[in-house]
Amino acid sequence: MSEMFDAVDALVASRSALPPAEERKRLRVAHGLTLDDVAGALKVRRATVSAWESVKKPTEPRGPEREAYARLLTQLAKLYPAPTPATFTGAPAPAESTLARPLSTGTAPDAAVMTATESTQPPVPAPVAASATGSRPASTTRSTSTSRRPSAKKAAPAATPAGESDLRFENGPLAVLDVEDGKVLAYCVGGLVLDVPAKSLPSLVDWTLREAKLGQPKLSGPGRPADPLLVLTEAALERYGLPVALTEEERHAGRIPEAHKVIKQLTRADWQLTKRGFGPWARIYRPAKGSERQCVQLCIPSWNALDTRHWGEAGQLPPAELARALGVYASRVMTPRGSTAVTGLELMTALHPPTRASEPDADGKRHSERNPGSLGKDPVDPAPCEAPDGHPVLKDLPRFHVRGPGEKLFEEAYDWARPMTDAECTLRHLVGIDVNMAFAAGANGLNVGLGEATHVTNPVFGPKVPGSWLVDLSHVDLSRVKVGKEWVELDGSLLPSPFTPKGERPEGPAWYATPTVAYAVELGYEVRPTEAWVRRESGRYLDSWYKRLRDAYLATMADLGVEDDLTPEDFLAAMDGYKARDPELAIVVSAVKATVKGGLGKLRERPRGEGWRPGEPWRALSRPTWRPDIRAAVISRTRINLHRKIVKHAAFTGQYPIAILSDCVVYAAGGPSPLDFLPYREGKPLPGGFKLGINPGLVKHEGTQEVLWGEEVREKFNAPELNLARYIKDGTVTDVDNGE
């Protein structure tokens, strides 16, 4: 029995009789304990603990389990005393009044009783609870009263400074709707659950805007608050007359038909849908009146709203856990506005709104004016070299004309590999390292154009002038380059060119973004552009975007036990299996990283169906954030940052990469760890080289395979330059096409 008590004492310590079944569940939930937690401590089955909490037909524990269970419940009762009902005047609430109940938030949820919706008395203020990233929410205890609603301690979102929480959004940015025992429940962040009285989708939208108190404060001064987000489970979809899954035709269209009965209900209630219709991320709105918006967004996981490539198994989580994962993402990044790519782009606009209110004029009136540092509200055309094939600015080109490097800017991430040398084949391991948040780091501090491009001939190159430059860089010899102020000799045949994604040496004039040309100058070579498209108005537009996503990434990784000040050895140990420590937060990490890459990709979004034909505009071109030049500059800088580290590493160690794929680099090494080839001295890395750590721009261990594995794979597919970086993580080789 002592061993059993020791396990219980790790949770609480005391002794008491057993309270009623409903109270047992309330106490467990309040402390953030799951049925599995309690069952594990008491060495019983999960179903046994569930039976002890059954309100309809509870069972009673016996023997030593009863004593241990009593110890647990007694101490929890001291931490979380039962709420004391208060007396209010006013009319009683109707049977469908909105109920709010506390779930676990990591601290004691002091419950206060609030009046019904119709009551004239204000509710008792709820005290502030722990952050939304506290202990995982568990199931709620149903209130037996329909005339009152107990309040819950609420946490201000992580993004909201203390004392600045907005009472309009006191229930958080979003809710996950599910049906339990015939009632619709809204699971909010911080462990709050609301009873939803709405019987139809139009009434659900009304309830959300009038009573739910969902939403998120604006991220910048001239911006606007985020609209409330409702996530509908399959049960909620059935309740509101929507299909649980889309048909193949609907999936292809990305929406349900306009003749659907639910859309007709919305139309009769004067609600509108955006041009994208009722799809996985539907937006339901009425035209704004003044500064007050009337808009609710729906997220439907069973319609593939939460892409598994970016959100993992989020769509399969129970409602409370899904609310937690999405809530952490919302508080640290922003309320999702669609896919992670859409959200990444929307975050740029939220941090740099296109317009702001002017100073009062002579009559004291304010007007809308461009917000300095933003991209403005009107789209701008790209330079012809920056435009993708089929863009309207290229409509005069012959139909089947193929543009070469002298006509088209082609700044993309690395996809390069080479055969191993004899010396490398004598080593045992291939070790892959991956740059953390590489493209976010490439955006940090980058000066980008904010307005239209101006064409110039025979320009003098300026490393701080954003633009696209036509210049011949074929004379840059990687066998002799400047590293800092010193010229160094390298084996250029073992290095990729920094100027092309495939690592091939340029053969003549080509278009490059500013960071690429600036790197040629840094390596010690003269550049003489013959043409350029430059942008005179510029700024560090992506800095706040980078900082927001960096902070979200670092905070979530810290929650998973990976801090930013660990020694190299401790960092590698902390990264080992970090996702298993809290799968929900691991989902958030994946989504944050996808937000970076997807947001940058959206800057050059191509036509998506729409009946588009080459030479015609497509929907994305109407956005001021359709800026392929900014995307090219970020990718250029990211690739150059990586090449700079590779050159410094080669100059210091004589080691050269075998393969590079985007932000992953593979080296041959004598041991399986990055520490077997990274030149650390007394715990300090090579200045300007690769450094292990969690911050953006630093590297982590991607994977290790045997050198023999690499040679066998290349031989099997008859591909001496097969990019092993693509498969280094787990050694599984797929998508091999003629060795490419």
Side-chain angles (χ1 to χ4, degrees), residues 354-365:
T355 60
R356 68 176 184 181
S358 68
E359 293 296 323
D361 59 17
D363 297 326
K365 295 183 179 180

Side-chain angles (χ1 to χ4, degrees), residues 194-208:
L194 306 175
D195 274 339
V196 182
K199 302 295 186 182
S200 66
L201 196 61
S203 63
L204 175 64
V205 176
D206 278 323
W207 172 83
T208 302

Side-chain angles (χ1 to χ4, degrees), residues 667-713:
Y667 284 89
S673 168
L675 291 175
D676 290 314
F677 72 93
L678 294 182
Y680 274 84
R681 288 185 176 178
E682 298 179 354
K684 295 182 179 179
L686 171 68
F690 295 110
K691 178 183 178 181
L692 290 166
I694 198 59
N695 278 287
L698 305 188
V699 299
K700 62 180 182 293
H701 184 203
E702 178 70 3
T704 296
Q705 303 296 329
E706 301 281 336
V707 166
L708 184 59
W709 163 85
E711 287 296 276
E712 288 178 345
V713 166

